[in-house]
Structure formats: C-alpha cells, structure tokens
Amino acid sequence: MKNRKKIGSKIKEFREFRQLSRGDLAIQANLDEAQLQLIEDEGNVPSLGVLIKISRAMGVRIGTFLDDQEKIGPAMVNAGKAEETLSFSTKDESTREHLNFFSLAQAKSGRHMEPFLVEIEPAEESDYKLSSHEGEEFIYVLEGSIEINYGKEVYLLHKGDTIYLDSVVAHNIHAAGEQAAKILAVVYTPV
C-alpha cells in the first residue's frame, strides 16, 4: 500500500526539517530507535498511539502525516468512495492487524479531528494489547458488535451504540465474537 511508505517518509521529512536525529526523536517520543527506523525506511505503519507520540514530539497535528492533499474549506467523501488509508499495527509484529481505517477527511488540511470508518476483523487472540495516547475518541457502531477494554472495565457495544472516551486511559477496541464489525470513529488529539 503506497500510504505505508508515505507516512514514514513524511515523518522522516519533518524530522530532518526540524534537524532532529532519529535517536533524538526516539527519545522525545519515548520510542525505540529501531522502531522509528522501520517506520521511516521500511514502511511499517505505527499504531495510532505511536503516531500521536511522534506528532507530539515534533509539535505537529497527527493529520500532518495522514494528509493526502491540502484543501481549504469542507472535505467531502461520497458514500462508498472512502479509500482505505492504512491499517494501524502495534510494535509487536506477532499481533494480527485487525483494524482497517478509511479516512473521511484526508483532503482537509488543518483539521483537529480525525474521522474514520473502521472495519474491525475478528481477532484470534483474547489477550488484547492495550494502548493509550493523548486525546479523546467518539465511536459509533455501524455494523456488528465491538468490545472495548478500557482501563479495568470492559464495554460491549452493538449496532447503534456509541461511546465517548478519554484516550489517555489504556484501551483496546476489537470485534466481539467471531463476526466483523464496522464503526465510525472520530479521534481528537490536542496539538
């Protein structure tokens, strides 16, 4: 997928523009330098939490690395025309990728919210890795059912249900049971 390389190259471009070494950015973002190298040079797509850490360390919006083009004014995506932008993965390469993100505002520059349609495939594991990042998330279940591990709590949501959560609390979103699900997720991260 061409966006995999694009995210890494944008991160590298901004890092070099800010005259940061890879090691300096890794320290500022609290990441392994080897992980940053895989993102920048090999096209590994970072988890949402890692992408937020990188954007915060460089003082830019998360959308800076996701923007496809700059557009002033509204950005519209017609029904069925959302293109898959990326699948977020974790640092653990053995973890099965199960979240496919379709950006709904990729063309809008200067945005503070990231709206996505997310297809959630059933996961084989039951020991879900929790992650946290700055910001807030709003989730609306469009199809199927999802389970959200949020701190020490577990929430089960079905079609039509919503949840608004603080992303600083460790969490994981996955399909409930063996059926796929689809959600509308709006992620806000402060700059």
Side-chain angles (χ1 to χ4, degrees):
M1 178 183 311
K2 66 179 182 177
N3 288 334
R4 290 182 182 274
K5 282 281 192 188
K6 186 165 65 171
I7 291 170
S9 64
K10 281 188 175 187
I11 290 170
K12 185 174 184 176
E13 178 183 334
F14 273 87
R15 177 180 59 76
E16 290 174 347
F17 176 77
R18 297 205 189 293
Q19 298 180 339
L20 286 171
S21 70
R22 188 175 283 154
D24 289 340
L25 178 57
I27 290 168
Q28 290 179 18
N30 195 25
L31 300 172
D32 294 332
E33 189 172 345
Q35 181 183 13
L36 197 52
Q37 185 270 328
L38 289 172
I39 293 167
E40 288 184 348
D41 297 337
E42 304 298 323
N44 283 17
V45 178
S47 69
L48 183 58
V50 168
L51 195 58
I52 289 170
K53 286 180 180 183
I54 292 169
S55 67
R56 298 288 293 174
M58 287 201 274
V60 298
R61 300 175 305 103
I62 186 175
T64 301
F65 305 122
L66 301 175
D67 290 345
D68 202 22
Q69 57 188 333
E70 296 208 359
K71 178 176 172 72
I72 298 172
M76 185 177 92
V77 176
N78 291 29
K81 300 293 184 187
E83 293 182 21
E84 183 176 4
T85 52
L86 52 107
S87 296
F88 287 114
S89 63
T90 64
K91 181 178 172 185
D92 181 0
E93 292 185 12
S94 66
T95 302
R96 182 173 175 263
E97 291 183 19
H98 64 281
L99 302 174
N100 300 309
F101 286 71
F102 297 84
S103 178
L104 298 178
Q106 193 171 359
K108 172 74 172 133
S109 67
R111 64 190 180 274
H112 299 281
M113 299 182 297
E114 295 293 335
F116 296 102
L117 281 179
V118 185
E119 292 177 348
I120 305 173
E121 301 168 14
E124 295 173 4
E125 72 274 352
S126 60
D127 183 24
Y128 298 103
K129 309 265 188 284
L130 303 182
S131 66
S132 64
H133 51 86
E134 291 187 65
E136 302 170 341
E137 296 179 33
F138 172 80
I139 296 168
Y140 177 76
V141 182
L142 299 168
E143 297 174 9
S145 298
I146 63 170
E147 187 175 84
I148 300 176
N149 296 76
Y150 184 74
K152 295 181 181 181
E153 302 292 323
V154 177
Y155 297 93
L156 182 62
L157 284 79
H158 303 284
K159 181 178 177 178
D161 293 344
T162 66
I163 189 168
Y164 192 113
L165 54 90
D166 291 314
S167 305
V168 295
V169 176
H171 61 284
N172 176 279
I173 301 167
H174 52 274
E178 297 181 17
Q179 298 296 318
K182 184 184 283 188
I183 62 173
L184 168 67
V186 181
V187 178
Y188 166 76
T189 52
V191 177

